[in-house]
Amino acid sequence: MTLRLLANVLAIGGAATFVGAMLNIGLTLGAYWKGLPPAAFLDWFAENSHLIGRTIPLFAVPTLVGLTASLLIDWSDPASRNLWLAALGCVALLALVTVGFHLPTNAAFVAKSIPLDQVPARLDQWLWLHWVRIALGLTTSVLGIVAIAR
């Protein structure tokens, strides 16, 4: 296996796996959470959210390593370089949404510091922005595929 192939597999495979995990969270857990009363949702989240959070590095680290390596390997090809840069830009936006909104909101859910009457609206916002992260992750994978298919 060449370094290029390994980098490409990590970049695209990592991003696609991350999208799959986020889809599962959005479709399965999101529907479950929305069906719970606010207090029960906060109880569930406080008790179980760590199970979701600990898996994220398993996808994020290989994705970042693969994207960075693919970018460096293809640096001399402007078209491929731009596609890898765009893919990294998508990951940066995804990380910005995660750090700027999801992590603080997750902490508020865990601490149960959101008034119960505001939980449904905050959960809706959480899920809407989660779909934005899914779209960014999917775009990352597609850009990587286009970069290697050229």
Side-chain angles (χ1 to χ4, degrees):
M1 181 178 294
T2 67
L3 182 58
R4 175 186 300 274
L5 179 59
L6 178 60
N8 294 164
V9 167
L10 286 174
I12 296 165
T17 302
F18 191 39
V19 168
M22 289 191 302
L23 274 169
N24 187 47
I25 291 167
L27 294 172
T28 304
L29 290 175
Y32 173 68
W33 293 338
K34 287 184 67 66
L36 293 174
F41 164 72
L42 292 177
D43 289 341
W44 185 97
F45 207 89
E47 186 160 332
N48 297 296
S49 66
H50 71 282
L51 298 171
I52 299 167
R54 71 181 182 193
T55 63
I56 302 306
L58 298 175
F59 315 125
V61 171
T63 301
L64 289 173
V65 168
L67 286 171
T68 303
S70 294
L71 172 64
L72 294 173
I73 290 166
D74 283 347
W75 190 260
S76 62
D77 177 0
S80 293
R81 179 180 62 227
N82 290 338
L83 289 165
W84 291 120
L85 284 170
L88 277 163
C90 288
V91 169
L93 287 172
L94 191 156
L96 184 65
V97 172
T98 300
V99 171
F101 177 80
H102 284 91
L103 293 180
T105 301
N106 290 356
F109 286 157
V110 168
K112 301 178 184 177
S113 62
I114 300 172
L116 290 179
D117 65 330
Q118 294 177 18
V119 169
R122 184 69 66 90
L123 178 57
D124 286 343
Q125 186 180 22
W126 192 102
L127 289 167
W128 186 86
L129 286 170
H130 187 70
W131 289 106
V132 170
R133 295 190 308 167
I134 290 168
L136 289 167
L138 184 59
T139 302
T140 300
S141 296
V142 170
L143 288 168
I145 291 168
V146 172
I148 65 171
R150 315 185 39 263

